Amino acid sequence: MDHKSKTSQQSPSTVYGVRLLADARMLGVVFMGPVFALLLLAMPAIAQTIPENASAKSYGEGWECNIGFRPSEESCAAIVVPENAYATNRTYGSGWECHHGFREVDETACVTVIVPDGGFLAPSGEGWHCLRGYFKVDDICQEIVVPENGFLVDATYGSTWECGRGFEKAEDSCAAITVPINGYLNGSRYGQPWSCERGFFEQDGLCEAVIIPEFAYFDDASYGEGWKCQRGYAASGAGCQVIEIPANAHLDRSGNRWECNRNFQKSKGLCVLNN
C-alpha cells in the first residue's frame, strides 16, 4: 500500500489533532515574537550599572541619587548636614538649610546671625534690622539723638526726626521760628514757614500794612500791591485815576480799561471807523 493510501486511511480525529498542533505552533510564533523583541529592547537598561544609594530614573535613561545623597563622579555620596542646619529631604539643591537665626557661609556651614544692640532679628531669620529710634551704620544700630522741640518720624529707610510746630531745623537742633508782627505760621514744610495776616504784605522779612488808596479795594492775591482800583478807575502810581472813555468805546471786562465798540478800532487814543 502506498503512502497516499495510508494517509487517506487516517481517522478524522488524528487529522484534527495534527491541525491543532500546527495552529498552536503558529500562535506561539505570533505571541512570543513581541515578547522577545521587548526583552531585547530592555536589555541595555537591565545591563546598565546603577551605583549604590541610587535608583533608575522613572522616565528616560540613566539613574539618580536617592534622597539624602548627591552625585559624586560615578557614585552617590551622602549629604553632610552641617551644625545648626537641617536636611530638606529634596533631590535638588544643597540638601540642607540653616535653622532660623543662622545664615549660610560658603555653602558649607551655618553661623549665628549676630544682632547688635538696638536691633532685632529679621523675620527671615537670616539678617537683622534696627529698632525704631535707631539707624544702621555698618554692623551696628546707632541711636537717633532727637533734639529738644523735635520728634521721631518713620521714613522710607529707618527712622529720623523733625522739628515740632513753631521750630525749624538748624543743623542738629530745632530753632524757634521768628514770626513777625501781623504774621502767622502757615505750616508749610517747604519755603517760608510764615505768612502775613490779611491786610498785610511781606516786605524785608516784616508784615507791612497794605495802604489802600481812594477808589480802590483790598486784594488778597499773592502778587501785586495788595489792592485794585474800582470799576471805572485805573492804577496810576500809588493811586487810582478815573478812566476817560472816548466816543464809540466802553469799559472792558476788567472794568479798569476801555476798548472800542464793534466796527471801530483804536487810533491815537480814539476809536475810529474800521474801513
Side-chain angles (χ1 to χ4, degrees):
M1 182 179 297
D2 59 10
H3 178 72
K4 185 180 293 187
S5 60
K6 289 181 179 180
T7 304
S8 59
Q9 292 179 358
Q10 290 179 349
S11 65
S13 60
T14 302
V15 174
Y16 182 70
V18 171
R19 288 180 178 177
L20 285 179
L21 180 60
D23 291 343
R25 289 176 179 176
M26 182 61 68
L27 288 174
V29 171
V30 172
F31 285 103
M32 292 304 292
V35 173
F36 283 119
L38 290 175
L39 289 174
L40 289 174
L41 291 175
M43 283 180 67
I46 297 173
Q48 71 173 342
T49 302
I50 299 177
E52 189 177 359
N53 302 312
S55 304
K57 289 185 177 180
S58 56
Y59 57 89
E61 297 181 356
W63 51 269
E64 58 186 356
C65 294
N66 298 334
I67 292 176
F69 296 85
R70 287 293 181 272
S72 177
E73 295 181 353
E74 296 299 324
S75 62
C76 289
I79 295 173
V80 178
V81 180
E83 188 177 1
N84 301 315
Y86 62 93
T88 59
N89 292 326
R90 292 192 289 258
T91 57
Y92 57 88
S94 62
W96 56 268
E97 289 185 2
C98 295
H99 286 301
H100 191 81
F102 295 84
R103 60 183 179 84
E104 184 179 318
V105 176
D106 299 331
E107 300 182 353
T108 58
C110 292
V111 298
T112 304
V113 177
I114 300 175
V115 181
D117 293 338
F120 63 94
L121 188 66
S124 66
E126 299 176 355
W128 53 272
H129 302 297
C130 291
L131 293 168
R132 187 173 187 273
Y134 294 82
F135 64 96
K136 186 176 182 180
V137 179
D138 297 329
D139 295 329
I140 65 172
C141 288
Q142 185 170 322
E143 185 175 5
I144 297 173
V145 178
V146 181
E148 187 177 1
N149 300 311
F151 59 93
L152 274 174
V153 292
D154 294 324
T156 305
Y157 303 101
S159 301
T160 184
W161 59 270
E162 290 183 1
C163 293
R165 179 174 172 79
F167 295 85
E168 59 185 352
K169 282 188 176 183
E171 296 183 352
D172 296 329
S173 62
C174 290
I177 297 173
T178 302
V179 181
I181 299 174
N182 300 314
Y184 64 94
L185 288 170
N186 57 27
S188 175
R189 299 183 62 181
Y190 307 98
Q192 186 163 272
W194 56 268
S195 301
C196 291
E197 299 281 359
R198 179 178 171 82
F200 296 83
F201 66 95
E202 181 190 351
Q203 184 175 358
D204 299 329
L206 301 175
C207 289
E208 301 289 351
V210 177
I211 299 175
I212 303 175
E214 190 178 8
F215 307 116
Y217 61 92
F218 177 75
D219 177 31
D220 58 358
S222 58
Y223 55 90
E225 300 295 332
W227 54 268
K228 282 186 176 181
C229 292
Q230 297 176 4
R231 183 176 177 80
Y233 292 84
S236 178
C240 293
Q241 185 177 356
V242 66
I243 298 172
E244 298 292 340
I245 304 175
N248 302 310
H250 61 274
L251 288 173
D252 66 4
R253 183 185 297 272
S254 70
N256 303 122
R257 291 185 300 271
W258 61 268
E259 61 185 8
C260 294
N261 297 339
R262 283 178 292 185
N263 202 34
F264 289 85
Q265 63 180 5
K266 283 186 178 182
S267 177
K268 299 179 181 180
L270 300 175
C271 291
V272 297
L273 281 172
N274 185 14
N275 294 326

